[in-house]
Amino acid sequence: MKAHEIMISNVYKVKETDNIRSVIKKFIEYHISGVPVVNNKNEIVAYISDGDIMRYIGKHKDIFIDSIYTVFIIKGDTEDFDERIKKILDLNVLEIAKRKVAKVDADTEIEDVAAILGKKRIKKLPVEKDGVLVGIISRGDVIRHTFKSIL
């Protein structure tokens, strides 16, 4: 089975010229946690997830993790949290998004998709054909389609 056979072809995405506000609106409206970032040719140029935004929100703090249960915040800036959030919303998506995007071709075998998702510890992979975004495939898609005929 190939990626294009189980991918979702109606992909939520944002443009490279969009700001974080438009990303957050998509996350909230569609109950999603990440989207590909595309240029005007629909080529994948980056990927942004809720984790990327979360890391950016916390970027102002130096955090020391003593153990799995103990976290010390060493220092932080004095800028008001609400003010930082307002500034983040106006940032261009490419200021936070990951530029090195794991992606697969539409003809990639599902076993290879599963291996990439597992090895890279990511939830979703954009799918492209001839360099253009055509879909997205998630860990759940792979699990559902792999096991549905035997359960």
Side-chain angles (χ1 to χ4, degrees):
M1 187 174 293
K2 309 269 187 188
H4 70 85
E5 296 177 73
I6 68 169
M7 71 181 189
I8 296 168
S9 54
N10 184 18
V11 182
Y12 300 117
K13 59 190 173 189
V14 294
K15 296 177 186 171
E16 64 185 344
T17 55
D18 285 346
N19 61 21
I20 297 302
R21 183 181 313 278
S22 63
V23 173
I24 298 292
K25 283 181 180 179
K26 278 201 178 12
F27 285 4
I28 293 168
E29 182 177 352
Y30 299 114
H31 305 280
I32 57 175
S33 59
V35 290
V37 181
V38 297
N39 63 17
N40 60 359
K41 296 178 185 175
N42 208 38
E43 298 165 326
I44 304 162
V45 296
Y47 192 91
I48 187 159
S49 70
D50 55 0
D52 298 323
I53 295 169
M54 193 66 55
R55 279 186 292 280
Y56 199 88
I57 290 170
K59 198 174 184 178
H60 72 291
K61 300 276 186 192
D62 288 333
I63 297 175
F64 172 71
I65 301 174
D66 183 35
S67 71
I68 194 165
Y69 302 108
T70 309
V71 175
F72 298 99
I73 299 175
I74 306 301
K75 64 177 185 164
D77 62 29
T78 57
E79 183 179 33
D80 179 66
F81 182 75
D82 292 335
E83 288 302 314
R84 273 198 335 276
I85 295 305
K86 287 177 186 173
K87 287 180 184 177
I88 290 170
L89 290 173
D90 293 329
L91 291 175
N92 177 276
V93 66
L94 293 177
E95 292 184 58
I96 297 178
K98 287 190 174 105
R99 306 274 185 125
K100 291 185 178 181
V101 181
K103 53 192 172 184
V104 294
D105 185 78
D107 290 324
T108 303
E109 295 289 339
I110 293 306
E111 303 92 89
D112 296 329
V113 171
I116 294 166
L117 288 166
K119 183 176 181 178
K120 296 206 174 269
R121 296 180 180 186
I122 54 178
K123 297 177 185 177
K124 299 175 186 167
L125 273 172
V127 180
E128 62 182 6
K129 185 156 185 80
D130 300 322
V132 174
L133 177 67
V134 293
I136 198 152
I137 191 165
S138 71
R139 294 184 299 196
D141 297 329
V142 173
I143 295 291
R144 277 188 294 282
H145 286 74
T146 301
F147 294 101
K148 74 177 179 184
S149 65
I150 59 174
L151 294 178

